[in-house]
Amino acid sequence: MSTKKNYKNMDLSAYFIGPHGENGDLFKELAAKLTDDHIGWRKNYNAGDEDSISEDEKATPEFNNAVVNMKDVLNELSRKLRDGSIPWDTAGRYLSQMDNETLMPSILAYNFAMLWNGNGVAWAGSPASTLMEQEVGHQLAEMHGYDKNGWGYVATDGSIANVSALWMARNVASIPLAIKEVCPELVEGKTEWELLNMSVKEELDLLDQAGDKKNEVKAHSARSGKNLQKLGKWLVPSTMHYSWRKACDITGVGEDNLVVLPVDDHYRIDIDKLDKIIAENVEKHIPILGVVAVVGTTEEGQIDHVDKIVEMRNKWIKKGVNFYIHVDAAYGGYGRTVYLDEDNNFIPYDKLETKFKEYGIFTENNQFLKKNVYDAYKAMGEADSVTDDPHKMGYVPYDAGGLTIKDTRLKDTLTYYAPYAFQEGIAVPASIGQFTLEGSKSVGSAAAVWAANKILPLNISGYGRLVARTLYGARRIHDLFDGQKFEVDGHTIVSHVVYDPDFNMVDWVYKEEGNDSLKAMNDLTQAVMEYTTTAKGGKLYNMDIQLSDTSFEPDNYGDAPVKFIESLGMTADEYHKLGKLEVLRSSCMSPWMYDEDSVEYWSKEITAAIQDKLEKVARNENIL
Amino acid sequence: MSTKKNYKNMDLSAYFIGPHGENGDLFKELAAKLTDDHIGWRKNYNAGDEDSISEDEKATPEFNNAVVNMKDVLNELSRKLRDGSIPWDTAGRYLSQMDNETLMPSILAYNFAMLWNGNGVAWAGSPASTLMEQEVGHQLAEMHGYDKNGWGYVATDGSIANVSALWMARNVASIPLAIKEVCPELVEGKTEWELLNMSVKEELDLLDQAGDKKNEVKAHSARSGKNLQKLGKWLVPSTMHYSWRKACDITGVGEDNLVVLPVDDHYRIDIDKLDKIIAENVEKHIPILGVVAVVGTTEEGQIDHVDKIVEMRNKWIKKGVNFYIHVDAAYGGYGRTVYLDEDNNFIPYDKLETKFKEYGIFTENNQFLKKNVYDAYKAMGEADSVTDDPHKMGYVPYDAGGLTIKDTRLKDTLTYYAPYAFQEGIAVPASIGQFTLEGSKSVGSAAAVWAANKILPLNISGYGRLVARTLYGARRIHDLFDGQKFEVDGHTIVSHVVYDPDFNMVDWVYKEEGNDSLKAMNDLTQAVMEYTTTAKGGKLYNMDIQLSDTSFEPDNYGDAPVKFIESLGMTADEYHKLGKLEVLRSSCMSPWMYDEDSVEYWSKEITAAIQDKLEKVARNENIL
């Protein structure tokens, strides 16, 4: 019935509707078939039953009135969405947020599953999708390097996944203190400092040892409201997503315990400073609850040295200090698929180029093989948990976040139920909702991620090829923007890329040649941004290029941008006085800029659009 | 262009695909039209651009391989979902969980919006849907009796909404203590007890008075991690959804501060006991953080006396005690639409019957006009916040929960940003995500609820008629099951309804006539349940009736079921010894059992199916 698939010979372009709806007919054909499958299922369930809506009723004026009402509202909805949605549907004109086309099979799977309206919270509410979500959870865990002892699920989004990760980190860290209250014999002779510096494995082993008293121990854990302020500091880089502030707030860990880590001039956690911060806290006898490494920072796409943080933890363990490591890979997690072979093994560094050639990716040069990125991805399996967003680089529709954990027992710290609870007298083959913050769950998200992972395996044969397309495109955008010159009304404007990208995001600025004022550069960059959004008026649909911006401020970023600023002949002093470096920011997620031809075509279009915007700035703004 | 709509003359049956797919063709027609609308939008955005997928490429073997792969996976998905989904697609055979058909226009709106894959978290990510969500939030707030000062949004689900409500209640309650630290002059002379017993309005007024120091005050609020254990007790009835335990856990309020309130024999909060519990805490100088009233309990569909709880708060305020009131109306919230006239005014009690007649609902008798339910719904506008689930009685697909608040300022306690933040240099007309636990947001949910509310206004002209259909159906199921007799192998089995329903849920038991053992009744009821699920094997799709069960246990429910048990000739003693009353539980959400004919038809089918199950029990189980 089934044969082993040769993913190598499949054209990724078939999997999207396409920027101009090129595969629109295919989408409609597949959608109609699935809809028929569903309607047939309804029709044949107890087929002999009377229909609930007769043909007579359908012929009445009242029925027709309702149909007219429905059409009327749907037309209004269509007008609103066509008028007020972001036109990202282009191969090269949308260089802005992390948003783009999504996989056709995932849209179809989501819509199809929605027709059943099952509740994915429990096996009893949707057996099929619960099994799919369990499968997907294991796939995501394996993608990160977790073994069969790992576990994962499809969360609403990265924010909920991050919040849930801190919730687990908090609860598990409090277990030894709870053990001391309930089964003191298990931790006899241990000091409070020792109890607050155990590994996740040790903490979960203790919980297992509590046996019958497991639930009582959990009742004495952080969920009780006790000991929250004893657990220590939660360390997150300044490049963090804003959900980490929310996470510290809602979990009661408290923003007072959030420590913002400085980043280096590559916008990665400054490893030496991290070490120093840990040492300072240890000296004051304050525990480290955990450290968050970001894989794909929100504003830069940079990838923290997960490997060095893991190494540092090993060093601290020898000194009796231990902490949780979470990787926030909401943006960059899927990047790991590039480094996994067909059997999901991490490819040795010296075999990468051969493997890439075999799959026809990165054939032009090896600038993608950054060793620091490779090492960071390789070490992800050592972290205690990872946040992923299938609705970002998984090209799955919203909402589809993901949370995976290294030790499946960790999830039990969130619930009172036994992991394989019996429901309604029968053993449940899979259970998700009892371990999540979410209660009700669409079955659509699980189905969408499941279909995507089936069509594109989470390794070099599937997603790896897709992610590589965008890394290629981003590198070409980087090369285009790095030193690109424009002549505008007698001024020479040059664009400068801010850092060498680890992933598929590019940040850059516009500077007038000969004008070495940071303020002038910020103003010009900001003005370009305004003409590439609707800030200066106009309709979204009429734009020929869309960019987004961000700013690096000393309060948050410290001196990270200084090296770049100085390379342009400006001073750290001016940066500190002005209080910001304004940059344009592009997540190059488009899967359509993936070869010489497409890059050449879009480079011309992008250049023309920017030339036009610079001329508008020169004409309308008094800054050149 | 538009005329005032006469909703009265619209047949609700047009709004669903139908149990047997009766409106399947209409669904397909509308879906195809919307898909074309979207594809046309893609095609015409910078129409002159080169296509990204050529016809040549589409003709290659590689493209075809990918299409085959996609079809293969989608077929597998279809098989899995058809085989492993719950067949609720019936007018009368699914009498189980809160799950049923969803509104056709909402499915269409969700699917259509998904094609854009906008991120509803911010206006900049999806202008159209953000405005729609803002509109919907106000509609839901108005449905609960909040005025223009109210606010709401579409949450992932009821659990997240409940968690977020406690998060807000926690943060706002901590404001006076934070004020004391940052601007002590504003609370001069007040004791800590007084600071912990202010109304939400007073707390928010204080925050406003902090002026420039507002953010500093917020930084000293509960979000800092401080004072969490000072805020007092969170009181929730024993009929609560399990998300309240999760909420106390994750927010750091702590399960030690959760007080479970006893319910009376109607499964509503026992008002006298609530008063006593408050008094006991006050005596011990422990503040009451808040009280949760449930409108539509998960296992019984019962409706707490919101009016009496509001009244009680007013009484306590005079004694210097104040607390937050949250209404968890995830299940029953939409029931309020039955009592709202076309202008969303709450209909006077003595005008109800006339109004019902005008809209052709409850024409047979007036047993639906329970005064306690009317009074509870009427008082909802006095609560500080309300949880709703559009994906339950709103008949909108998952995920669509909802949270509404009485005082729009309350949401600012969750964020550092000003409510009308400027983004990218332009004023944002609407903003949702900065006030929610969720980060990324599907635009589908907002669009789906928006379309539903446009087609069915949230009053008697729209949703009220739909909800009334189910209240009618539930009452008829109640009447059918209350005292229904079956002759089975020489045994007479009688079903007994456990309480008089406030909403559309019915709980009942099966008892052998002459056998007054509670254990025997529990066993029989449990056995019937097992033959109406797949517990005894078989395929979901082959079932002719589906029921669900629950059990009332003394640990949780106290003596609530005793009156019922005694009415059947059994003793409280046996109930306490056995430790449970086993009941069948049916959420009668089907919109298809709404008139004499349909009730008559389905009553016969249901009766036959139950007779069959009782015979199977008699044949296979050794309990009769």
Side-chain angles (χ1 to χ4, degrees):
Chain A
M1 301 275 282
S2 79
T3 48
K4 189 148 168 69
K5 287 183 177 179
N6 183 357
Y7 294 101
K8 221 178 291 183
N9 295 336
M10 296 176 188
D11 181 355
L12 301 178
S13 300
Y15 298 145
F16 294 93
I17 296 177
H20 269 169
E22 292 89 332
N23 289 327
D25 290 339
L26 179 59
F27 176 77
K28 286 167 65 181
E29 176 200 326
L30 297 172
K33 183 165 182 301
L34 289 170
T35 307
D36 285 341
D37 276 6
H38 175 76
I39 291 173
W41 182 86
R42 291 197 185 210
K43 220 178 174 73
N44 291 300
Y45 179 68
N46 286 283
D49 286 345
E50 267 185 14
D51 287 339
S52 291
I53 313 159
S54 68
E55 293 301 329
D56 278 352
E57 182 171 358
K58 290 195 225 173
T60 62
E62 288 76 15
F63 191 93
N64 189 52
N65 290 341
V67 172
V68 169
N69 181 30
M70 190 153 55
K71 286 185 178 174
D72 196 37
V73 171
L74 292 173
N75 284 343
E76 187 180 345
L77 177 74
S78 174
R79 288 198 308 277
K80 278 184 191 286
L81 281 172
R82 284 180 283 120
D83 193 46
S85 293
I86 310 288
W88 43 250
D89 60 313
T90 163
R93 298 188 185 280
Y94 185 78
L95 297 166
S96 180
Q97 309 290 345
M98 296 162 201
D99 209 353
N100 217 281
E101 282 228 62
T102 50
L103 289 162
M104 188 197 296
S106 292
I107 302 172
L108 291 166
Y110 202 123
N111 292 354
F112 181 55
M114 191 188 293
L115 291 168
W116 270 276
N117 202 44
N119 187 348
V121 71
W123 189 82
S126 179
S129 80
T130 305
L131 290 173
M132 283 185 230
E133 186 165 358
Q134 182 173 262
E135 193 178 338
V136 162
H138 283 296
Q139 289 165 342
L140 291 173
E142 195 177 355
M143 174 174 89
H144 297 138
Y146 291 159
D147 60 21
K148 283 196 167 60
N149 195 32
W151 182 85
Y153 82 101
V154 180
T156 300
D157 65 359
S159 294
I160 300 278
N162 284 343
V163 165
S164 301
L166 180 52
W167 184 22
M168 285 196 289
R170 186 201 77 173
N171 278 7
V172 80
S174 75
I175 292 290
L177 297 180
I179 290 274
K180 196 172 182 183
E181 289 178 39
V182 180
C183 324
E185 66 283 5
L186 292 179
V187 290
E188 221 185 309
K190 295 234 186 245
T191 64
E192 186 166 287
W193 181 254
E194 285 170 326
L195 295 178
L196 288 167
N197 278 285
M198 299 180 96
S199 71
V200 169
K201 184 180 178 308
E202 288 164 340
E203 290 156 351
L204 292 169
D205 286 349
L206 270 181
L207 188 58
D208 282 344
Q209 287 161 31
D212 288 351
K213 291 191 174 168
K214 212 167 170 175
N215 279 344
E216 204 185 326
V217 171
K218 287 201 254 171
H220 281 74
S221 73
R223 65 164 51 164
S224 68
K226 283 182 297 199
N227 295 330
L228 280 177
Q229 295 306 306
K230 283 188 180 173
L231 304 176
K233 300 291 178 188
W234 189 250
L235 280 45
V236 196
S238 60
T239 48
M240 68 179 161
H241 187 253
Y242 72 104
S243 58
W244 286 109
R245 290 200 174 276
K246 245 180 346 194
C248 288
D249 173 350
I250 194 170
T251 57
V253 165
E255 289 197 42
D256 287 0
N257 287 313
L258 176 72
V259 176
V260 179
L261 300 172
V263 294
D264 62 22
D265 55 8
H266 298 284
Y267 300 87
R268 305 180 198 125
I269 290 174
D270 186 317
I271 293 295
D272 292 338
K273 289 184 182 156
L274 167 62
D275 198 43
K276 223 177 123 198
I277 287 168
I278 294 174
E280 282 164 7
N281 277 285
V282 168
E283 205 164 299
K284 287 187 248 169
H285 224 66
I286 300 170
I288 304 300
L289 175 56
V291 175
V292 175
V294 183
V295 168
T297 60
T298 316
E299 306 299 313
E300 307 85 7
Q302 293 302 83
I303 293 176
D304 282 329
H305 300 284
V306 181
D307 50 315
K308 293 187 183 170
I309 295 169
V310 167
E311 205 176 282
M312 186 184 301
R313 177 167 66 176
N314 290 336
K315 189 197 80 181
W316 277 106
I317 287 173
K318 289 181 191 140
K319 301 184 197 174
V321 173
N322 211 328
F323 47 86
Y324 192 100
I325 297 179
H326 178 78
V327 178
D328 183 352
Y331 181 26
Y334 277 71
R336 203 169 190 271
T337 59
V338 172
Y339 302 98
L340 296 177
D341 70 16
E342 306 79 355
D343 300 317
N344 301 332
N345 297 312
F346 210 78
I347 304 167
Y349 194 70
D350 58 6
K351 297 275 185 305
L352 273 180
E353 239 181 296
T354 324
K355 207 75 195 167
F356 288 169
K357 263 195 197 122
E358 184 187 337
Y359 280 92
I361 60 182
F362 308 147
T363 45
E364 292 173 44
N365 55 50
N366 68 358
Q367 62 189 326
F368 303 94
L369 310 181
K370 287 172 78 170
K371 188 65 170 39
N372 66 292
V373 173
Y374 177 90
D375 290 338
Y377 275 123
K378 190 172 180 192
M380 272 173 84
E382 301 300 315
D384 297 298
S385 53
V386 182
T387 292
D388 258 307
D389 264 356
H391 63 210
K392 289 195 176 80
M393 289 304 298
Y395 294 87
V396 167
Y398 295 105
D399 304 320
L403 179 62
T404 51
I405 54 179
K406 186 181 175 70
D407 188 329
T408 185
R409 299 174 299 168
L410 185 56
K411 67 187 190 302
D412 303 338
T413 61
L414 305 185
T415 176
Y416 277 110
Y417 305 104
Y420 300 98
F422 282 76
Q423 283 186 355
E424 307 182 342
I426 49 161
V428 174
S431 191
I432 309 280
Q434 74 195 81
F435 308 111
T436 69
L437 190 53
E438 298 93 337
S440 306
K441 270 179 92 87
S442 153
V443 301
S445 299
V449 182
W450 180 89
N453 292 359
K454 267 274 184 198
I455 282 163
L456 291 171
L458 289 161
N459 59 44
I460 198 166
S461 74
Y463 267 109
R465 290 167 63 213
L466 178 55
V467 173
R469 274 195 178 195
T470 74
L471 294 174
Y472 173 92
R475 178 55 60 180
R476 291 290 159 265
I477 290 287
H478 168 277
D479 296 348
L480 176 68
F481 288 170
D482 201 21
Q484 188 175 29
K485 279 191 190 189
F486 297 88
E487 296 301 329
V488 183
D489 285 0
H491 305 269
T492 302
I493 312 290
V494 186
S495 64
H496 301 275
V497 169
V498 181
Y499 54 86
D500 190 71
D502 287 344
F503 198 54
N504 64 13
M505 187 174 278
V506 179
D507 286 7
W508 74 104
V509 299
Y510 287 101
K511 177 176 178 299
E512 184 178 0
E513 215 168 59
N515 183 348
D516 290 347
S517 148
L518 177 57
K519 182 172 185 312
M521 186 172 86
N522 278 351
D523 288 349
L524 177 58
T525 303
Q526 167 93 23
V528 172
M529 195 283 296
E530 286 175 9
Y531 281 93
T532 57
T533 65
T534 54
K536 290 285 173 188
K539 288 274 185 189
L540 279 168
Y541 197 67
N542 297 337
M543 301 182 63
D544 61 359
I545 190 161
Q546 296 169 80
L547 306 177
S548 67
D549 72 334
T550 191
S551 62
F552 300 145
E553 295 164 12
D555 275 359
N556 206 20
Y557 278 86
D559 279 344
V562 164
K563 203 167 152 186
F564 169 72
I565 287 168
E566 289 179 345
S567 78
L568 300 180
M570 297 154 181
T571 66
D573 199 44
E574 197 185 353
Y575 162 64
H576 283 282
K577 246 183 246 162
L578 263 182
K580 76 164 179 173
L581 169 70
E582 170 76 15
V583 306
L584 288 155
R585 162 186 170 273
S586 167
S587 169
C588 302
M589 273 183 61
S590 166
W592 304 110
M593 222 186 306
Y594 63 91
D595 63 9
E596 286 287 355
D597 287 353
S598 55
V599 167
E600 195 191 339
Y601 177 80
W602 289 111
S603 296
K604 254 189 258 164
E605 294 292 329
I606 292 165
T607 303
I610 290 174
Q611 176 76 35
D612 173 66
K613 301 309 162 287
L614 286 169
E615 282 169 14
K616 285 200 170 99
V617 170
R619 205 176 315 131
N620 305 330
E621 310 294 322
N622 196 16
I623 55 171
L624 276 184
Chain B
M1 301 276 283
S2 80
T3 49
K4 192 152 167 64
K5 287 183 177 178
N6 183 356
Y7 294 100
K8 220 178 291 184
N9 295 335
M10 295 175 189
D11 180 355
L12 300 179
S13 300
Y15 298 146
F16 293 94
I17 295 176
H20 268 168
E22 293 90 333
N23 289 328
D25 289 341
L26 178 60
F27 177 77
K28 286 168 66 180
E29 175 199 326
L30 297 172
K33 184 166 181 300
L34 288 169
T35 307
D36 286 341
D37 276 7
H38 175 78
I39 291 173
W41 182 87
R42 290 198 186 209
K43 218 177 176 71
N44 290 299
Y45 178 68
N46 287 285
D49 286 346
E50 266 184 12
D51 287 340
S52 292
I53 313 160
S54 68
E55 293 300 330
D56 279 350
E57 183 171 359
K58 290 196 226 172
T60 60
E62 287 77 16
F63 192 92
N64 189 53
N65 291 342
V67 172
V68 170
N69 181 30
M70 190 153 54
K71 286 185 176 172
D72 195 39
V73 172
L74 291 173
N75 284 343
E76 186 180 347
L77 176 74
S78 173
R79 288 197 309 277
K80 278 183 189 286
L81 281 171
R82 284 180 285 121
D83 193 47
S85 293
I86 310 288
W88 42 252
D89 60 316
T90 163
R93 299 188 184 280
Y94 186 78
L95 297 165
S96 179
Q97 309 291 346
M98 297 163 200
D99 208 355
N100 217 282
E101 281 229 64
T102 50
L103 289 162
M104 188 195 301
S106 291
I107 302 172
L108 291 166
Y110 202 124
N111 292 354
F112 181 55
M114 190 188 292
L115 291 169
W116 270 276
N117 202 42
N119 187 347
V121 70
W123 189 82
S126 178
S129 80
T130 305
L131 290 171
M132 282 186 231
E133 185 165 359
Q134 182 173 261
E135 195 178 337
V136 162
H138 283 297
Q139 289 165 342
L140 291 173
E142 196 177 354
M143 175 174 90
H144 297 139
Y146 291 158
D147 61 20
K148 285 197 166 59
N149 196 32
W151 183 85
Y153 82 102
V154 180
T156 300
D157 66 358
S159 293
I160 299 278
N162 283 344
V163 165
S164 300
L166 180 53
W167 184 23
M168 285 198 288
R170 186 201 78 173
N171 278 6
V172 79
S174 74
I175 293 290
L177 297 180
I179 290 272
K180 196 172 179 184
E181 289 178 39
V182 180
C183 324
E185 67 282 5
L186 293 179
V187 290
E188 221 184 310
K190 294 234 189 249
T191 63
E192 186 167 286
W193 181 255
E194 285 170 325
L195 295 179
L196 289 167
N197 279 285
M198 301 180 93
S199 71
V200 169
K201 186 181 177 306
E202 287 164 339
E203 290 157 350
L204 293 170
D205 286 350
L206 269 181
L207 188 59
D208 282 344
Q209 287 161 31
D212 289 351
K213 290 190 173 167
K214 214 169 170 173
N215 279 342
E216 204 185 327
V217 171
K218 286 201 256 172
H220 282 74
S221 73
R223 67 162 52 163
S224 68
K226 283 182 297 199
N227 295 330
L228 280 177
Q229 295 306 306
K230 284 188 179 175
L231 304 176
K233 300 290 179 189
W234 189 251
L235 280 46
V236 196
S238 60
T239 50
M240 69 178 161
H241 186 252
Y242 71 103
S243 58
W244 286 109
R245 290 200 174 273
K246 244 180 345 193
C248 288
D249 173 351
I250 194 172
T251 58
V253 165
E255 288 195 44
D256 287 359
N257 287 311
L258 176 72
V259 176
V260 179
L261 300 171
V263 294
D264 62 21
D265 55 8
H266 299 283
Y267 300 87
R268 306 179 198 125
I269 290 174
D270 187 314
I271 294 295
D272 292 337
K273 288 185 183 156
L274 167 61
D275 199 42
K276 222 178 121 199
I277 287 168
I278 294 174
E280 282 164 5
N281 278 285
V282 168
E283 206 165 296
K284 289 189 248 170
H285 224 65
I286 299 170
I288 304 299
L289 175 55
V291 176
V292 174
V294 183
V295 168
T297 59
T298 315
E299 307 298 313
E300 307 84 9
Q302 293 301 83
I303 293 177
D304 281 330
H305 300 284
V306 182
D307 50 316
K308 293 186 183 170
I309 295 169
V310 166
E311 206 176 278
M312 186 183 301
R313 177 167 67 175
N314 291 334
K315 189 197 80 179
W316 276 106
I317 287 173
K318 289 182 192 137
K319 301 184 198 174
V321 173
N322 211 328
F323 48 85
Y324 193 100
I325 297 179
H326 177 78
V327 178
D328 183 352
Y331 181 27
Y334 277 72
R336 204 171 189 269
T337 59
V338 171
Y339 302 99
L340 296 177
D341 71 16
E342 305 79 355
D343 301 318
N344 302 333
N345 297 312
F346 209 78
I347 304 167
Y349 194 70
D350 58 6
K351 297 276 186 304
L352 272 182
E353 239 180 295
T354 324
K355 208 72 198 172
F356 287 169
K357 265 195 194 118
E358 186 186 335
Y359 281 92
I361 60 183
F362 308 146
T363 46
E364 292 174 42
N365 56 48
N366 68 358
Q367 63 188 326
F368 303 96
L369 310 182
K370 287 172 76 169
K371 189 65 169 40
N372 66 292
V373 172
Y374 176 89
D375 290 338
Y377 275 123
K378 191 172 180 194
M380 271 173 83
E382 302 299 316
D384 297 299
S385 53
V386 182
T387 291
D388 259 304
D389 265 355
H391 63 211
K392 292 197 174 80
M393 289 304 297
Y395 293 88
V396 167
Y398 295 105
D399 303 323
L403 179 62
T404 52
I405 53 179
K406 187 182 175 68
D407 188 327
T408 184
R409 297 174 301 168
L410 185 56
K411 67 186 189 299
D412 303 339
T413 61
L414 305 186
T415 176
Y416 276 111
Y417 305 103
Y420 300 98
F422 283 76
Q423 283 186 356
E424 308 185 339
I426 50 161
V428 176
S431 192
I432 310 280
Q434 73 196 84
F435 308 111
T436 68
L437 189 54
E438 298 94 336
S440 306
K441 270 179 91 86
S442 153
V443 302
S445 300
V449 182
W450 182 89
N453 293 358
K454 267 274 181 195
I455 282 162
L456 291 171
L458 290 161
N459 59 43
I460 197 166
S461 75
Y463 267 108
R465 291 166 64 212
L466 177 56
V467 173
R469 275 192 176 196
T470 73
L471 294 174
Y472 174 90
R475 178 54 62 181
R476 290 292 160 264
I477 289 287
H478 168 278
D479 296 349
L480 176 68
F481 288 168
D482 201 20
Q484 187 173 28
K485 280 193 190 188
F486 298 88
E487 297 301 330
V488 182
D489 284 1
H491 305 269
T492 303
I493 312 289
V494 186
S495 64
H496 301 275
V497 170
V498 181
Y499 54 86
D500 190 71
D502 287 345
F503 198 52
N504 64 13
M505 188 175 276
V506 180
D507 286 5
W508 74 104
V509 299
Y510 289 101
K511 180 178 176 299
E512 183 176 3
E513 216 168 56
N515 183 349
D516 291 347
S517 147
L518 177 58
K519 183 172 184 314
M521 184 172 88
N522 278 352
D523 288 349
L524 177 58
T525 303
Q526 167 93 24
V528 172
M529 195 284 297
E530 286 175 9
Y531 281 94
T532 58
T533 64
T534 54
K536 290 284 173 189
K539 288 274 184 190
L540 280 167
Y541 197 65
N542 298 336
M543 302 182 62
D544 61 359
I545 190 160
Q546 296 168 80
L547 305 177
S548 67
D549 72 333
T550 190
S551 63
F552 299 147
E553 296 164 12
D555 274 357
N556 205 21
Y557 278 85
D559 279 344
V562 164
K563 205 167 150 185
F564 169 72
I565 287 168
E566 289 178 345
S567 78
L568 300 180
M570 298 153 182
T571 67
D573 199 42
E574 197 186 354
Y575 162 64
H576 282 284
K577 246 184 248 159
L578 262 180
K580 74 165 183 175
L581 169 70
E582 169 75 15
V583 305
L584 287 155
R585 162 186 169 272
S586 166
S587 169
C588 302
M589 273 182 62
S590 166
W592 305 111
M593 222 187 305
Y594 62 90
D595 62 10
E596 287 287 358
D597 287 351
S598 54
V599 168
E600 195 191 339
Y601 177 81
W602 288 111
S603 295
K604 253 188 262 166
E605 295 291 329
I606 292 165
T607 303
I610 290 174
Q611 176 77 37
D612 174 66
K613 301 308 161 289
L614 287 169
E615 283 168 14
K616 286 202 168 99
V617 170
R619 203 176 316 131
N620 304 330
E621 311 293 323
N622 197 17
I623 55 174
L624 276 183

